[in-house]
Amino acid sequence: MDFSERREPLPVTDGIRSLSERGSIGREWWSRRFVDVLESFADRNRLHRGRAYARKGQVIDLKVRPYEVRARVQGSRPEPYEVAIGIDAIGEETWRVVEAELASRAVFRARLLAGELPPEIEWVFAELGVPLFPASAHDLHLMCDCPDYGDPCKHAAAVLYLLAEAFDRDPFLLLAWKGRSRDLLLQGLRRLPAEGAPDPFDVGDEPLTAAGFWTAGPGLAALRDRPPAAPAPPDLLLRLLDPPAVKVRRRPLIDMLGPAYEAMPQA
């Protein structure tokens, strides 16, 4: 039972208020996934109180740093509570492997450069042993100086829900929390295809022969069983190229051309 703060929390004038007034929190697939995972293992009563705190605007501020989120939450006492939410660090070598894997898939690379998180990116992280989302309570290191022994307490729960909404606004914030800023990730994705992608015309030292030329390939049934590939965005080539230094009315050229590329398939 939660014996802390039986009184109503003190009101906050300029607190961070959840955009969701009722129902689920999280709009995009990545923020919904984060919330779903959180609600699968956390105490439901404290999560309910945390949602109420988030919707009242009791969180004063929220800062996302590599492997840590810090916030202040106003409760019933005069001084706000200090909340910290940590996750395990990902080593630099592991991040390089992740970047190489993402860069090797043109659609992933294009979508990330376009500011999107393709759902399949979760598989890439899972295959490399660094899950994109916390799998259990042990993957979140929750700290709050309130007297509630719950894990999470309602103050940390409020921060987690607002963190999900922050992911809605900026998907790269999720990756920044995992230790890779948007700029560093995109620099790596632009650089790796030119430096590390395999040459499709390089056959190595193996001699070319006619062996297997007349062998039947996979049947139509096998092709139907293959999972559909993620559709390429209309501005794929635009995003793959290094952005030019040209600006139009102080806006980058690719931002101006993007709507035109998106309109081409419809036309």
Side-chain angles (χ1 to χ4, degrees):
M1 181 179 295
D2 179 5
F3 292 101
S4 69
E5 289 190 19
R6 293 182 179 275
R7 295 175 297 169
E8 285 294 313
L10 299 177
V12 177
T13 303
D14 298 318
I16 304 173
R17 189 182 296 272
S18 170
L19 299 177
S20 167
E21 297 182 356
R22 62 179 62 87
S24 301
I25 289 180
R27 183 179 66 252
E28 305 292 346
W29 77 263
W30 51 85
S31 52
R32 274 304 320 155
R33 178 84 171 112
F34 177 74
V35 170
D36 288 344
V37 170
L38 173 67
E39 293 179 344
S40 70
F41 59 73
D43 181 87
R44 291 187 177 275
N45 289 329
R46 288 184 173 85
L47 290 178
H48 176 74
R49 297 188 185 102
R51 280 196 303 271
Y53 264 50
R55 286 167 174 156
K56 285 182 179 179
Q58 296 303 123
V59 178
I60 298 173
D61 53 32
L62 188 154
K63 298 178 181 178
V64 179
R65 301 169 180 167
Y67 316 118
E68 184 181 62
V69 173
R70 286 193 171 273
R72 290 183 301 153
V73 183
Q74 182 64 60
S76 59
R77 75 175 189 179
E79 293 296 322
Y81 294 110
E82 299 284 343
V83 177
I85 304 172
I87 55 176
D88 293 335
I90 299 177
E92 180 63 26
E93 186 61 34
T94 302
W95 261 115
R96 289 175 183 168
V97 174
V98 171
E99 287 178 348
E101 184 64 26
L102 294 175
S104 68
R105 310 185 189 190
V107 174
F108 281 11
R109 182 169 173 261
R111 286 191 177 278
L112 286 166
L113 290 173
E116 304 173 10
L117 283 186
E120 297 84 358
I121 194 176
E122 186 178 358
W123 307 342
V124 174
F125 278 82
E127 289 172 356
L128 297 176
V130 283
L132 188 58
F133 303 100
S136 69
H138 300 291
D139 296 330
L140 290 175
H141 311 301
L142 305 174
M143 292 159 281
C144 180
D145 57 0
C146 75
D148 184 7
Y149 58 84
D151 194 10
C153 65
K154 56 180 167 287
H155 313 105
V159 174
L160 287 167
Y161 279 119
L162 290 177
L163 181 62
E165 288 198 340
F167 293 158
D168 268 338
R169 295 187 293 272
D170 181 7
F172 285 97
L173 203 59
L174 171 60
L175 300 179
W177 188 32
K178 303 288 289 184
R180 214 48 157 196
S181 69
R182 179 183 187 275
D183 290 342
L184 282 178
L185 179 65
L186 296 187
Q187 286 174 13
L189 294 181
R190 289 191 178 103
R191 181 185 68 252
L192 281 169
E195 297 179 0
D199 184 354
F201 300 102
D202 183 9
V203 296
D205 297 329
E206 184 177 350
L208 294 175
T209 68
F213 180 80
W214 299 107
T215 304
L220 291 178
L223 292 177
R224 283 195 296 267
D225 292 337
R226 294 179 61 186
D235 58 350
L236 173 62
L237 293 178
L238 185 65
R239 296 295 176 176
L240 287 177
L241 299 175
D242 290 333
V246 179
K247 291 188 177 181
V248 179
R249 295 181 180 177
R250 299 182 181 179
R251 293 182 59 189
L253 180 60
I254 59 173
D255 290 350
M256 302 293 291
L257 293 177
Y261 274 76
E262 293 178 0
M264 285 180 185
Q266 302 175 4

